[in-house]
Amino acid sequence: MKMYSEREPARGIVERIRRRGRLSTLKYLAVLRVSILNNLAYIMEVFFRALLLVVLVFVLTQLWKTTFALRGTSVLSGFGIADMIWYLVAGEAIAMSLPALTRRIDQEVRSGQLAYLLGRPSSYVLYNYAHYLGERLVRLLMNALIGTVLAFIMAGPPHFTWQGVLAWPLVAFLALSIDFVMHFSIGLMAFWSEETQSFSLILSRLTLVLGGVLAPLEIFPQPLRSIAQVLPFSTILYGPSRTLVHFETARFTSLLVQQFATLGVGIIIMLSIYHAAVRRVNINGG
């Protein structure tokens, strides 16, 4: 009886922790669901926004077809023209699905709505992550749908392996999470500058250029190629796109390690900025 009475409180504590964790998970899943439904309510806006992908991929395809013709080759750094088109579609689908996260944080800081959001019984970071993820998933799926139709027309069916198809959702999800951490950290700078669009613009342009959305990093000259491959931008666009088009077990494992390391370091930096920002709000009276 004594042993039973000593274990019972411990079991109660564990059960309470589980219950709180379950309720917390359901809470953010509800935010995710509402975000998805809000974006589905304006699905035509998402559709017309995604049509820009058609223009970009078409222009880039013509440039690469000209490059292949001038080089007099059908394969460039392991990529044929069909592989290049599918790679461009995969990269642009991720790149063009980014919502206006930093602008929303700017507005919350300027309007004072932030004080209300911080007072909610939820994490401001996780709330924004769930909201961001719902919005981005809808845009990503629409971009992927339109891009797939375009790529079928321009390049024919893809030569994906089943490993690449199964691995892509995981690396794409990690890429979206890394992108959130980076842009949310930039958005938090609004506590000091109140205007972060210039920082966000620089970050997005670096991601596009060094992230490999315009061309696979194998085509970059050295030493720019080696530098771009170790930067976090490659884990957002190049890594997932290459995994889908040219799956290799060693590269996939290396990408996962790089993504988890980038995400871990990014979360530490983001939370440090966040806690500093919250202290600034408290010092200034909310």
Side-chain angles (χ1 to χ4, degrees):
M1 293 295 295
K2 182 179 180 181
M3 292 179 62
Y4 177 80
S5 61
E6 288 178 351
R7 290 178 180 177
E8 190 62 32
R11 290 177 181 175
I13 294 174
V14 172
E15 184 60 30
R16 284 197 297 271
I17 293 174
R18 288 178 179 175
R19 189 182 301 114
R20 289 179 182 178
R22 184 166 57 251
L23 291 175
S24 180
T25 301
L26 292 175
K27 177 168 49 180
Y28 296 115
L29 285 177
V31 176
L32 173 65
R33 178 175 175 273
V34 170
S35 180
I36 292 175
L37 292 176
N38 285 340
N39 282 273
L40 290 177
Y42 301 96
I43 193 64
M44 292 308 298
E45 179 186 352
V46 177
F47 172 76
F48 286 114
R49 196 184 290 266
L51 289 180
L52 179 60
L53 182 144
V54 176
V55 178
L56 292 175
V57 172
F58 178 79
V59 172
L60 290 173
T61 298
Q62 299 309 309
L63 291 174
W64 280 113
K65 283 183 176 180
T66 302
T67 302
F68 275 86
L70 292 176
R71 291 287 187 93
T73 181
S74 59
V75 178
L76 190 61
S77 297
F79 285 81
I81 186 62
D83 296 331
M84 190 68 73
I85 293 173
W86 281 103
Y87 174 88
L88 292 173
V89 167
E92 290 289 355
I94 296 175
M96 295 185 60
S97 64
L98 178 67
L101 177 63
T102 56
R103 184 178 296 115
R104 186 170 69 246
I105 298 176
D106 284 350
Q107 293 173 351
E108 290 172 355
V109 172
R110 289 201 209 112
S111 65
Q113 186 184 6
L114 178 71
Y116 166 74
L117 294 175
L118 289 176
R120 285 180 173 180
S122 61
S123 167
Y124 180 69
V125 176
L126 293 179
Y127 170 84
N128 273 280
Y129 178 64
H131 188 280
Y132 154 91
L133 201 58
E135 186 175 359
R136 187 149 198 185
L137 286 177
V138 173
R139 294 188 179 194
L140 177 59
L141 291 176
M142 180 62 73
N143 289 343
L145 178 62
I146 293 177
T148 298
V149 174
L150 177 64
F152 261 104
I153 295 173
M154 301 184 68
H159 302 289
F160 300 157
T161 62
W162 65 268
Q163 297 99 324
V165 174
L166 292 179
W168 186 81
L170 173 60
V171 294
F173 174 74
L174 291 173
L176 300 186
S177 299
I178 293 171
D179 216 10
F180 167 80
V181 168
M182 294 172 66
H183 281 87
F184 190 77
S185 299
I186 292 293
L188 290 174
M189 298 303 294
F191 284 90
W192 290 273
S193 67
E194 295 188 2
E195 175 58 52
T196 63
Q197 293 311 300
S198 57
F199 303 119
S200 179
L201 180 63
I202 293 173
L203 177 61
S204 62
R205 294 301 177 267
L206 286 174
T207 304
L208 290 175
V209 175
L210 298 178
V213 71
L214 304 177
L217 297 186
E218 287 89 345
I219 297 178
F220 284 27
Q222 291 288 12
L224 181 60
R225 182 196 312 169
S226 299
I227 295 174
Q229 286 177 338
V230 299
L231 291 176
F233 311 114
S234 66
T235 64
I236 300 173
L237 300 175
Y238 166 75
S241 302
R242 197 187 192 287
T243 297
L244 181 63
V245 177
H246 280 169
F247 179 85
E248 296 176 12
T249 303
R251 284 181 177 270
F252 172 65
T253 304
S254 176
L255 174 61
L256 284 181
V257 172
Q258 187 179 8
Q259 283 185 319
F260 278 114
T262 301
L263 189 59
V265 173
I267 288 174
I268 293 173
I269 295 174
M270 178 190 68
L271 292 179
S272 299
I273 298 174
Y274 172 71
H275 289 306
V278 171
R279 285 197 300 270
R280 181 181 176 88
V281 173
N282 294 332
I283 292 174
N284 292 334

